[in-house]
PDB file of all heavy atoms in Angstrom:
ATOM      1  N   SER A   1     122.416 119.697 108.868  1.00  0.00           N
ATOM      2  CA  SER A   1     122.961 120.843 109.545  1.00  0.00           C
ATOM      3  C   SER A   1     123.777 121.823 108.638  1.00  0.00           C
ATOM      4  O   SER A   1     124.068 122.938 109.009  1.00  0.00           O
ATOM      5  CB  SER A   1     123.944 120.404 110.632  1.00  0.00           C
ATOM      6  OG  SER A   1     123.248 119.595 111.595  1.00  0.00           O
ATOM      7  N   SER A   2     124.044 121.303 107.481  1.00  0.00           N
ATOM      8  CA  SER A   2     124.999 122.087 106.633  1.00  0.00           C
ATOM      9  C   SER A   2     124.289 123.329 105.959  1.00  0.00           C
ATOM     10  O   SER A   2     123.104 123.274 105.664  1.00  0.00           O
ATOM     11  CB  SER A   2     125.546 121.176 105.502  1.00  0.00           C
ATOM     12  OG  SER A   2     124.519 120.873 104.563  1.00  0.00           O
ATOM     13  N   ASP A   3     125.020 124.303 105.828  1.00  0.00           N
ATOM     14  CA  ASP A   3     124.592 125.533 105.055  1.00  0.00           C
ATOM     15  C   ASP A   3     125.105 125.440 103.586  1.00  0.00           C
ATOM     16  O   ASP A   3     124.908 126.390 102.803  1.00  0.00           O
ATOM     17  CB  ASP A   3     125.143 126.821 105.690  1.00  0.00           C
ATOM     18  CG  ASP A   3     124.503 127.118 107.024  1.00  0.00           C
ATOM     19  OD1 ASP A   3     123.276 126.780 107.185  1.00  0.00           O
ATOM     20  OD2 ASP A   3     125.215 127.557 107.951  1.00  0.00           O
ATOM     21  N   GLY A   4     125.723 124.344 103.310  1.00  0.00           N
ATOM     22  CA  GLY A   4     126.220 124.166 101.901  1.00  0.00           C
ATOM     23  C   GLY A   4     126.614 122.732 101.685  1.00  0.00           C
ATOM     24  O   GLY A   4     126.325 121.861 102.590  1.00  0.00           O
ATOM     25  N   PRO A   5     127.297 122.396 100.667  1.00  0.00           N
ATOM     26  CA  PRO A   5     127.684 120.981 100.407  1.00  0.00           C
ATOM     27  C   PRO A   5     128.592 120.424 101.489  1.00  0.00           C
ATOM     28  O   PRO A   5     129.338 121.157 102.099  1.00  0.00           O
ATOM     29  CB  PRO A   5     128.409 121.123  99.058  1.00  0.00           C
ATOM     30  CG  PRO A   5     127.925 122.386  98.389  1.00  0.00           C
ATOM     31  CD  PRO A   5     127.684 123.308  99.568  1.00  0.00           C
ATOM     32  N   VAL A   6     128.418 119.124 101.746  1.00  0.00           N
ATOM     33  CA  VAL A   6     129.185 118.434 102.680  1.00  0.00           C
ATOM     34  C   VAL A   6     129.915 117.268 102.062  1.00  0.00           C
ATOM     35  O   VAL A   6     129.511 116.763 101.071  1.00  0.00           O
ATOM     36  CB  VAL A   6     128.359 117.966 103.925  1.00  0.00           C
ATOM     37  CG1 VAL A   6     127.683 119.014 104.594  1.00  0.00           C
ATOM     38  CG2 VAL A   6     127.301 116.931 103.423  1.00  0.00           C
ATOM     39  N   ASP A   7     131.013 116.860 102.690  1.00  0.00           N
ATOM     40  CA  ASP A   7     131.795 115.666 102.399  1.00  0.00           C
ATOM     41  C   ASP A   7     131.598 114.620 103.464  1.00  0.00           C
ATOM     42  O   ASP A   7     131.637 115.025 104.644  1.00  0.00           O
ATOM     43  CB  ASP A   7     133.286 115.917 102.222  1.00  0.00           C
ATOM     44  CG  ASP A   7     133.588 116.912 101.136  1.00  0.00           C
ATOM     45  OD1 ASP A   7     132.685 117.134 100.234  1.00  0.00           O
ATOM     46  OD2 ASP A   7     134.644 117.549 101.075  1.00  0.00           O
ATOM     47  N   VAL A   8     131.364 113.455 103.177  1.00  0.00           N
ATOM     48  CA  VAL A   8     131.251 112.376 104.107  1.00  0.00           C
ATOM     49  C   VAL A   8     132.296 111.228 103.691  1.00  0.00           C
ATOM     50  O   VAL A   8     132.336 110.786 102.586  1.00  0.00           O
ATOM     51  CB  VAL A   8     129.849 111.785 104.162  1.00  0.00           C
ATOM     52  CG1 VAL A   8     129.731 110.437 104.964  1.00  0.00           C
ATOM     53  CG2 VAL A   8     128.892 112.795 104.824  1.00  0.00           C
ATOM     54  N   ASN A   9     133.006 110.754 104.707  1.00  0.00           N
ATOM     55  CA  ASN A   9     134.035 109.738 104.482  1.00  0.00           C
ATOM     56  C   ASN A   9     133.916 108.676 105.547  1.00  0.00           C
ATOM     57  O   ASN A   9     134.702 108.538 106.457  1.00  0.00           O
ATOM     58  CB  ASN A   9     135.432 110.263 104.477  1.00  0.00           C
ATOM     59  CG  ASN A   9     136.456 109.230 104.019  1.00  0.00           C
ATOM     60  OD1 ASN A   9     136.125 108.285 103.360  1.00  0.00           O
ATOM     61  ND2 ASN A   9     137.676 109.364 104.482  1.00  0.00           N
ATOM     62  N   GLY A  10     132.732 107.961 105.578  1.00  0.00           N
ATOM     63  CA  GLY A  10     132.426 107.000 106.594  1.00  0.00           C
ATOM     64  C   GLY A  10     132.899 105.611 106.230  1.00  0.00           C
ATOM     65  O   GLY A  10     133.506 105.424 105.143  1.00  0.00           O
ATOM     66  N   SER A  11     132.625 104.626 107.028  1.00  0.00           N
ATOM     67  CA  SER A  11     132.970 103.261 106.772  1.00  0.00           C
ATOM     68  C   SER A  11     132.111 102.669 105.726  1.00  0.00           C
ATOM     69  O   SER A  11     132.625 101.811 104.903  1.00  0.00           O
ATOM     70  CB  SER A  11     132.873 102.439 107.973  1.00  0.00           C
ATOM     71  OG  SER A  11     133.703 102.923 109.094  1.00  0.00           O
ATOM     72  N   ARG A  12     130.904 103.107 105.596  1.00  0.00           N
ATOM     73  CA  ARG A  12     130.004 102.437 104.608  1.00  0.00           C
ATOM     74  C   ARG A  12     129.534 103.450 103.522  1.00  0.00           C
ATOM     75  O   ARG A  12     129.222 102.988 102.430  1.00  0.00           O
ATOM     76  CB  ARG A  12     128.690 101.976 105.392  1.00  0.00           C
ATOM     77  CG  ARG A  12     129.067 100.865 106.314  1.00  0.00           C
ATOM     78  CD  ARG A  12     127.893 100.659 107.340  1.00  0.00           C
ATOM     79  NE  ARG A  12     128.386  99.630 108.374  1.00  0.00           N
ATOM     80  CZ  ARG A  12     129.175  99.936 109.434  1.00  0.00           C
ATOM     81  NH1 ARG A  12     129.608 101.152 109.561  1.00  0.00           N
ATOM     82  NH2 ARG A  12     129.479  99.031 110.246  1.00  0.00           N
ATOM     83  N   TRP A  13     129.493 104.781 103.799  1.00  0.00           N
ATOM     84  CA  TRP A  13     129.054 105.737 102.852  1.00  0.00           C
ATOM     85  C   TRP A  13     130.159 106.789 102.717  1.00  0.00           C
ATOM     86  O   TRP A  13     130.667 107.375 103.757  1.00  0.00           O
ATOM     87  CB  TRP A  13     127.753 106.338 103.273  1.00  0.00           C
ATOM     88  CG  TRP A  13     126.657 105.340 103.196  1.00  0.00           C
ATOM     89  CD1 TRP A  13     125.933 104.898 102.180  1.00  0.00           C
ATOM     90  CD2 TRP A  13     126.095 104.570 104.356  1.00  0.00           C
ATOM     91  NE1 TRP A  13     124.997 103.922 102.501  1.00  0.00           N
ATOM     92  CE2 TRP A  13     125.079 103.761 103.878  1.00  0.00           C
ATOM     93  CE3 TRP A  13     126.384 104.571 105.766  1.00  0.00           C
ATOM     94  CZ2 TRP A  13     124.366 102.869 104.668  1.00  0.00           C
ATOM     95  CZ3 TRP A  13     125.673 103.754 106.569  1.00  0.00           C
ATOM     96  CH2 TRP A  13     124.670 102.906 106.007  1.00  0.00           C
ATOM     97  N   GLN A  14     130.523 107.062 101.483  1.00  0.00           N
ATOM     98  CA  GLN A  14     131.470 108.117 101.131  1.00  0.00           C
ATOM     99  C   GLN A  14     130.854 108.903  99.971  1.00  0.00           C
ATOM    100  O   GLN A  14     130.433 108.385  98.993  1.00  0.00           O
ATOM    101  CB  GLN A  14     132.802 107.581 100.772  1.00  0.00           C
ATOM    102  CG  GLN A  14     133.432 106.623 101.804  1.00  0.00           C
ATOM    103  CD  GLN A  14     132.990 105.204 101.637  1.00  0.00           C
ATOM    104  OE1 GLN A  14     132.798 104.722 100.527  1.00  0.00           O
ATOM    105  NE2 GLN A  14     132.925 104.499 102.746  1.00  0.00           N
ATOM    106  N   PHE A  15     130.901 110.264 100.133  1.00  0.00           N
ATOM    107  CA  PHE A  15     130.495 111.120  99.041  1.00  0.00           C
ATOM    108  C   PHE A  15     131.072 112.526  99.264  1.00  0.00           C
ATOM    109  O   PHE A  15     131.463 112.898 100.412  1.00  0.00           O
ATOM    110  CB  PHE A  15     129.016 111.188  98.862  1.00  0.00           C
ATOM    111  CG  PHE A  15     128.176 111.513 100.099  1.00  0.00           C
ATOM    112  CD1 PHE A  15     128.050 112.812 100.504  1.00  0.00           C
ATOM    113  CD2 PHE A  15     127.616 110.534 100.907  1.00  0.00           C
ATOM    114  CE1 PHE A  15     127.347 113.084 101.666  1.00  0.00           C
ATOM    115  CE2 PHE A  15     126.851 110.769 102.030  1.00  0.00           C
ATOM    116  CZ  PHE A  15     126.745 112.110 102.412  1.00  0.00           C
ATOM    117  N   ARG A  16     131.140 113.294  98.197  1.00  0.00           N
ATOM    118  CA  ARG A  16     131.658 114.618  98.322  1.00  0.00           C
ATOM    119  C   ARG A  16     130.717 115.620  97.644  1.00  0.00           C
ATOM    120  O   ARG A  16     130.033 115.361  96.666  1.00  0.00           O
ATOM    121  CB  ARG A  16     133.070 114.714  97.589  1.00  0.00           C
ATOM    122  CG  ARG A  16     134.121 113.798  98.177  1.00  0.00           C
ATOM    123  CD  ARG A  16     135.477 114.093  97.568  1.00  0.00           C
ATOM    124  NE  ARG A  16     135.890 115.506  97.881  1.00  0.00           N
ATOM    125  CZ  ARG A  16     136.952 116.078  97.377  1.00  0.00           C
ATOM    126  NH1 ARG A  16     137.709 115.426  96.457  1.00  0.00           N
ATOM    127  NH2 ARG A  16     137.277 117.329  97.697  1.00  0.00           N
ATOM    128  N   ASN A  17     130.752 116.842  98.267  1.00  0.00           N
ATOM    129  CA  ASN A  17     130.094 118.031  97.677  1.00  0.00           C
ATOM    130  C   ASN A  17     128.560 117.770  97.532  1.00  0.00           C
ATOM    131  O   ASN A  17     128.049 117.990  96.389  1.00  0.00           O
ATOM    132  CB  ASN A  17     130.772 118.383  96.319  1.00  0.00           C
ATOM    133  CG  ASN A  17     130.430 119.765  95.865  1.00  0.00           C
ATOM    134  OD1 ASN A  17     130.327 120.697  96.702  1.00  0.00           O
ATOM    135  ND2 ASN A  17     130.272 119.956  94.511  1.00  0.00           N
ATOM    136  N   VAL A  18     127.890 117.283  98.481  1.00  0.00           N
ATOM    137  CA  VAL A  18     126.491 116.952  98.457  1.00  0.00           C
ATOM    138  C   VAL A  18     125.753 117.929  99.398  1.00  0.00           C
ATOM    139  O   VAL A  18     126.101 118.045 100.511  1.00  0.00           O
ATOM    140  CB  VAL A  18     126.222 115.447  98.862  1.00  0.00           C
ATOM    141  CG1 VAL A  18     124.657 115.234  99.036  1.00  0.00           C
ATOM    142  CG2 VAL A  18     126.781 114.541  97.891  1.00  0.00           C
ATOM    143  N   ASP A  19     124.772 118.540  98.820  1.00  0.00           N
ATOM    144  CA  ASP A  19     123.869 119.410  99.610  1.00  0.00           C
ATOM    145  C   ASP A  19     122.483 118.945  99.352  1.00  0.00           C
ATOM    146  O   ASP A  19     121.974 118.934  98.225  1.00  0.00           O
ATOM    147  CB  ASP A  19     124.064 120.913  99.114  1.00  0.00           C
ATOM    148  CG  ASP A  19     123.503 121.866 100.196  1.00  0.00           C
ATOM    149  OD1 ASP A  19     123.076 121.408 101.278  1.00  0.00           O
ATOM    150  OD2 ASP A  19     123.474 123.102  99.903  1.00  0.00           O
ATOM    151  N   LEU A  20     121.730 118.573 100.418  1.00  0.00           N
ATOM    152  CA  LEU A  20     120.479 117.866 100.271  1.00  0.00           C
ATOM    153  C   LEU A  20     119.403 118.847 100.735  1.00  0.00           C
ATOM    154  O   LEU A  20     119.448 119.539 101.727  1.00  0.00           O
ATOM    155  CB  LEU A  20     120.479 116.634 101.174  1.00  0.00           C
ATOM    156  CG  LEU A  20     119.371 115.580 100.873  1.00  0.00           C
ATOM    157  CD1 LEU A  20     119.668 114.927  99.514  1.00  0.00           C
ATOM    158  CD2 LEU A  20     119.409 114.508 101.943  1.00  0.00           C
ATOM    159  N   PHE A  21     118.309 118.838  99.912  1.00  0.00           N
ATOM    160  CA  PHE A  21     117.133 119.653 100.258  1.00  0.00           C
ATOM    161  C   PHE A  21     115.881 118.714 100.181  1.00  0.00           C
ATOM    162  O   PHE A  21     115.868 117.753  99.427  1.00  0.00           O
ATOM    163  CB  PHE A  21     116.982 120.850  99.287  1.00  0.00           C
ATOM    164  CG  PHE A  21     118.043 121.878  99.506  1.00  0.00           C
ATOM    165  CD1 PHE A  21     119.201 121.870  98.677  1.00  0.00           C
ATOM    166  CD2 PHE A  21     117.883 122.828 100.431  1.00  0.00           C
ATOM    167  CE1 PHE A  21     120.173 122.813  98.869  1.00  0.00           C
ATOM    168  CE2 PHE A  21     118.892 123.819 100.577  1.00  0.00           C
ATOM    169  CZ  PHE A  21     119.976 123.777  99.821  1.00  0.00           C
ATOM    170  N   PRO A  22     114.777 119.072 100.979  1.00  0.00           N
ATOM    171  CA  PRO A  22     114.724 120.202 101.857  1.00  0.00           C
ATOM    172  C   PRO A  22     115.440 120.064 103.150  1.00  0.00           C
ATOM    173  O   PRO A  22     115.717 118.866 103.508  1.00  0.00           O
ATOM    174  CB  PRO A  22     113.153 120.287 102.101  1.00  0.00           C
ATOM    175  CG  PRO A  22     112.717 118.858 102.095  1.00  0.00           C
ATOM    176  CD  PRO A  22     113.596 118.222 101.015  1.00  0.00           C
ATOM    177  N   LYS A  23     115.772 121.125 103.793  1.00  0.00           N
ATOM    178  CA  LYS A  23     116.314 121.071 105.186  1.00  0.00           C
ATOM    179  C   LYS A  23     115.116 120.908 106.071  1.00  0.00           C
ATOM    180  O   LYS A  23     114.017 121.441 105.893  1.00  0.00           O
ATOM    181  CB  LYS A  23     117.092 122.321 105.548  1.00  0.00           C
ATOM    182  CG  LYS A  23     118.273 122.616 104.598  1.00  0.00           C
ATOM    183  CD  LYS A  23     119.314 121.533 104.665  1.00  0.00           C
ATOM    184  CE  LYS A  23     120.492 121.860 103.814  1.00  0.00           C
ATOM    185  NZ  LYS A  23     121.489 120.749 103.753  1.00  0.00           N
ATOM    186  N   PRO A  24     115.292 120.197 107.246  1.00  0.00           N
ATOM    187  CA  PRO A  24     114.217 120.102 108.240  1.00  0.00           C
ATOM    188  C   PRO A  24     113.917 121.485 108.810  1.00  0.00           C
ATOM    189  O   PRO A  24     114.738 122.438 108.789  1.00  0.00           O
ATOM    190  CB  PRO A  24     114.793 119.219 109.289  1.00  0.00           C
ATOM    191  CG  PRO A  24     115.965 118.534 108.646  1.00  0.00           C
ATOM    192  CD  PRO A  24     116.478 119.436 107.684  1.00  0.00           C
ATOM    193  N   VAL A  25     112.721 121.583 109.411  1.00  0.00           N
ATOM    194  CA  VAL A  25     112.311 122.876 110.036  1.00  0.00           C
ATOM    195  C   VAL A  25     113.148 123.175 111.219  1.00  0.00           C
ATOM    196  O   VAL A  25     113.572 124.369 111.428  1.00  0.00           O
ATOM    197  CB  VAL A  25     110.807 122.783 110.398  1.00  0.00           C
ATOM    198  CG1 VAL A  25     110.422 124.020 111.234  1.00  0.00           C
ATOM    199  CG2 VAL A  25     109.953 122.672 109.208  1.00  0.00           C
ATOM    200  N   ARG A  26     113.495 122.244 112.026  1.00  0.00           N
ATOM    201  CA  ARG A  26     114.279 122.446 113.219  1.00  0.00           C
ATOM    202  C   ARG A  26     115.778 122.481 112.724  1.00  0.00           C
ATOM    203  O   ARG A  26     116.236 121.651 112.058  1.00  0.00           O
ATOM    204  CB  ARG A  26     114.123 121.331 114.228  1.00  0.00           C
ATOM    205  CG  ARG A  26     112.818 121.266 114.884  1.00  0.00           C
ATOM    206  CD  ARG A  26     112.794 120.272 116.054  1.00  0.00           C
ATOM    207  NE  ARG A  26     111.460 120.129 116.615  1.00  0.00           N
ATOM    208  CZ  ARG A  26     111.268 120.004 117.908  1.00  0.00           C
ATOM    209  NH1 ARG A  26     112.297 119.867 118.729  1.00  0.00           N
ATOM    210  NH2 ARG A  26     110.034 119.802 118.415  1.00  0.00           N
ATOM    211  N   PRO A  27     116.491 123.503 113.277  1.00  0.00           N
ATOM    212  CA  PRO A  27     117.871 123.587 112.922  1.00  0.00           C
ATOM    213  C   PRO A  27     118.610 122.304 113.384  1.00  0.00           C
ATOM    214  O   PRO A  27     118.452 121.875 114.473  1.00  0.00           O
ATOM    215  CB  PRO A  27     118.361 124.760 113.727  1.00  0.00           C
ATOM    216  CG  PRO A  27     117.198 125.645 113.923  1.00  0.00           C
ATOM    217  CD  PRO A  27     116.021 124.628 114.063  1.00  0.00           C
ATOM    218  N   GLY A  28     119.307 121.674 112.467  1.00  0.00           N
ATOM    219  CA  GLY A  28     120.106 120.446 112.868  1.00  0.00           C
ATOM    220  C   GLY A  28     119.230 119.170 112.665  1.00  0.00           C
ATOM    221  O   GLY A  28     119.757 118.111 112.798  1.00  0.00           O
ATOM    222  N   GLY A  29     117.953 119.382 112.358  1.00  0.00           N
ATOM    223  CA  GLY A  29     117.166 118.220 112.058  1.00  0.00           C
ATOM    224  C   GLY A  29     116.212 117.800 113.269  1.00  0.00           C
ATOM    225  O   GLY A  29     116.317 118.356 114.359  1.00  0.00           O
ATOM    226  N   PRO A  30     115.227 116.901 113.033  1.00  0.00           N
ATOM    227  CA  PRO A  30     114.360 116.470 114.049  1.00  0.00           C
ATOM    228  C   PRO A  30     115.104 115.766 115.143  1.00  0.00           C
ATOM    229  O   PRO A  30     116.119 115.148 114.894  1.00  0.00           O
ATOM    230  CB  PRO A  30     113.403 115.515 113.298  1.00  0.00           C
ATOM    231  CG  PRO A  30     114.213 115.032 112.145  1.00  0.00           C
ATOM    232  CD  PRO A  30     115.090 116.154 111.718  1.00  0.00           C
ATOM    233  N   PRO A  31     114.527 115.767 116.380  1.00  0.00           N
ATOM    234  CA  PRO A  31     115.170 115.038 117.475  1.00  0.00           C
ATOM    235  C   PRO A  31     115.151 113.598 117.188  1.00  0.00           C
ATOM    236  O   PRO A  31     114.217 113.072 116.688  1.00  0.00           O
ATOM    237  CB  PRO A  31     114.314 115.411 118.661  1.00  0.00           C
ATOM    238  CG  PRO A  31     113.012 115.888 118.119  1.00  0.00           C
ATOM    239  CD  PRO A  31     113.312 116.520 116.829  1.00  0.00           C
ATOM    240  N   ILE A  32     116.260 112.919 117.511  1.00  0.00           N
ATOM    241  CA  ILE A  32     116.388 111.481 117.325  1.00  0.00           C
ATOM    242  C   ILE A  32     116.334 110.797 118.666  1.00  0.00           C
ATOM    243  O   ILE A  32     117.201 111.012 119.539  1.00  0.00           O
ATOM    244  CB  ILE A  32     117.727 111.144 116.595  1.00  0.00           C
ATOM    245  CG1 ILE A  32     117.705 111.683 115.180  1.00  0.00           C
ATOM    246  CG2 ILE A  32     118.003 109.644 116.607  1.00  0.00           C
ATOM    247  CD1 ILE A  32     118.977 111.513 114.435  1.00  0.00           C
ATOM    248  N   TRP A  33     115.301 110.017 118.893  1.00  0.00           N
ATOM    249  CA  TRP A  33     115.146 109.220 120.085  1.00  0.00           C
ATOM    250  C   TRP A  33     115.501 107.744 119.734  1.00  0.00           C
ATOM    251  O   TRP A  33     114.991 107.196 118.697  1.00  0.00           O
ATOM    252  CB  TRP A  33     113.695 109.213 120.545  1.00  0.00           C
ATOM    253  CG  TRP A  33     113.249 110.608 121.079  1.00  0.00           C
ATOM    254  CD1 TRP A  33     113.866 111.773 120.896  1.00  0.00           C
ATOM    255  CD2 TRP A  33     112.044 110.861 121.744  1.00  0.00           C
ATOM    256  NE1 TRP A  33     113.166 112.770 121.513  1.00  0.00           N
ATOM    257  CE2 TRP A  33     112.001 112.249 122.030  1.00  0.00           C
ATOM    258  CE3 TRP A  33     110.975 110.085 122.161  1.00  0.00           C
ATOM    259  CZ2 TRP A  33     110.954 112.822 122.667  1.00  0.00           C
ATOM    260  CZ3 TRP A  33     109.917 110.681 122.835  1.00  0.00           C
ATOM    261  CH2 TRP A  33     109.899 112.039 123.143  1.00  0.00           C
ATOM    262  N   LEU A  34     116.381 107.157 120.560  1.00  0.00           N
ATOM    263  CA  LEU A  34     116.840 105.824 120.241  1.00  0.00           C
ATOM    264  C   LEU A  34     116.141 104.757 121.040  1.00  0.00           C
ATOM    265  O   LEU A  34     116.051 104.852 122.262  1.00  0.00           O
ATOM    266  CB  LEU A  34     118.390 105.756 120.536  1.00  0.00           C
ATOM    267  CG  LEU A  34     119.238 106.642 119.532  1.00  0.00           C
ATOM    268  CD1 LEU A  34     120.730 106.560 119.927  1.00  0.00           C
ATOM    269  CD2 LEU A  34     119.039 106.151 118.116  1.00  0.00           C
ATOM    270  N   GLY A  35     115.579 103.787 120.280  1.00  0.00           N
ATOM    271  CA  GLY A  35     114.962 102.669 120.921  1.00  0.00           C
ATOM    272  C   GLY A  35     115.953 101.518 121.111  1.00  0.00           C
ATOM    273  O   GLY A  35     116.019 100.566 120.271  1.00  0.00           O
ATOM    274  N   VAL A  36     116.611 101.546 122.244  1.00  0.00           N
ATOM    275  CA  VAL A  36     117.684 100.613 122.587  1.00  0.00           C
ATOM    276  C   VAL A  36     117.598 100.346 124.062  1.00  0.00           C
ATOM    277  O   VAL A  36     117.089 101.057 124.809  1.00  0.00           O
ATOM    278  CB  VAL A  36     119.049 101.192 122.226  1.00  0.00           C
ATOM    279  CG1 VAL A  36     119.231 101.344 120.709  1.00  0.00           C
ATOM    280  CG2 VAL A  36     119.311 102.497 122.938  1.00  0.00           C
ATOM    281  N   ARG A  37     118.158  99.139 124.397  1.00  0.00           N
ATOM    282  CA  ARG A  37     118.305  98.818 125.840  1.00  0.00           C
ATOM    283  C   ARG A  37     119.507  97.899 126.134  1.00  0.00           C
ATOM    284  O   ARG A  37     119.802  97.747 127.327  1.00  0.00           O
ATOM    285  CB  ARG A  37     116.971  98.220 126.367  1.00  0.00           C
ATOM    286  CG  ARG A  37     116.729  96.722 125.885  1.00  0.00           C
ATOM    287  CD  ARG A  37     115.421  96.261 126.504  1.00  0.00           C
ATOM    288  NE  ARG A  37     115.156  94.863 126.154  1.00  0.00           N
ATOM    289  CZ  ARG A  37     114.001  94.241 126.508  1.00  0.00           C
ATOM    290  NH1 ARG A  37     113.080  94.869 127.175  1.00  0.00           N
ATOM    291  NH2 ARG A  37     113.818  93.053 126.128  1.00  0.00           N
ATOM    292  N   GLY A  38     120.132  97.411 125.126  1.00  0.00           N
ATOM    293  CA  GLY A  38     121.389  96.649 125.333  1.00  0.00           C
ATOM    294  C   GLY A  38     122.580  97.527 125.654  1.00  0.00           C
ATOM    295  O   GLY A  38     122.524  98.729 125.385  1.00  0.00           O
ATOM    296  N   PRO A  39     123.750  96.943 126.022  1.00  0.00           N
ATOM    297  CA  PRO A  39     124.875  97.723 126.436  1.00  0.00           C
ATOM    298  C   PRO A  39     125.409  98.626 125.330  1.00  0.00           C
ATOM    299  O   PRO A  39     125.647  99.848 125.569  1.00  0.00           O
ATOM    300  CB  PRO A  39     125.874  96.701 126.838  1.00  0.00           C
ATOM    301  CG  PRO A  39     125.012  95.439 127.280  1.00  0.00           C
ATOM    302  CD  PRO A  39     123.892  95.510 126.305  1.00  0.00           C
ATOM    303  N   ARG A  40     125.596  98.093 124.132  1.00  0.00           N
ATOM    304  CA  ARG A  40     126.075  98.993 123.020  1.00  0.00           C
ATOM    305  C   ARG A  40     125.076 100.034 122.620  1.00  0.00           C
ATOM    306  O   ARG A  40     125.483 101.180 122.380  1.00  0.00           O
ATOM    307  CB  ARG A  40     126.433  98.124 121.894  1.00  0.00           C
ATOM    308  CG  ARG A  40     127.644  97.122 122.076  1.00  0.00           C
ATOM    309  CD  ARG A  40     128.094  96.553 120.761  1.00  0.00           C
ATOM    310  NE  ARG A  40     128.600  97.520 119.849  1.00  0.00           N
ATOM    311  CZ  ARG A  40     128.652  97.444 118.558  1.00  0.00           C
ATOM    312  NH1 ARG A  40     128.115  96.395 117.975  1.00  0.00           N
ATOM    313  NH2 ARG A  40     129.142  98.366 117.763  1.00  0.00           N
TER     314      ARG A  40
END
């Protein structure tokens, strides 16, 4: 979704000033369908 570099500070992945290419054709990326059925 970014128009420029992003910072991520997650529990498992942390990085700064990263801009990744190519961007997907759809703004914000391809639709994500989740294959789940348990409560969480």
Side-chain angles (χ1 to χ4, degrees):
S1 302
S2 69
D3 291 326
V6 299
D7 298 342
V8 166
N9 187 28
S11 299
R12 297 161 184 81
W13 293 280
Q14 304 87 33
F15 52 83
R16 296 190 63 188
N17 199 35
V18 171
D19 199 3
L20 199 65
F21 291 94
K23 301 298 183 185
V25 172
R26 292 188 184 218
I32 293 176
W33 291 12
L34 291 179
V36 293
R37 69 179 185 188
R40 293 190 64 207

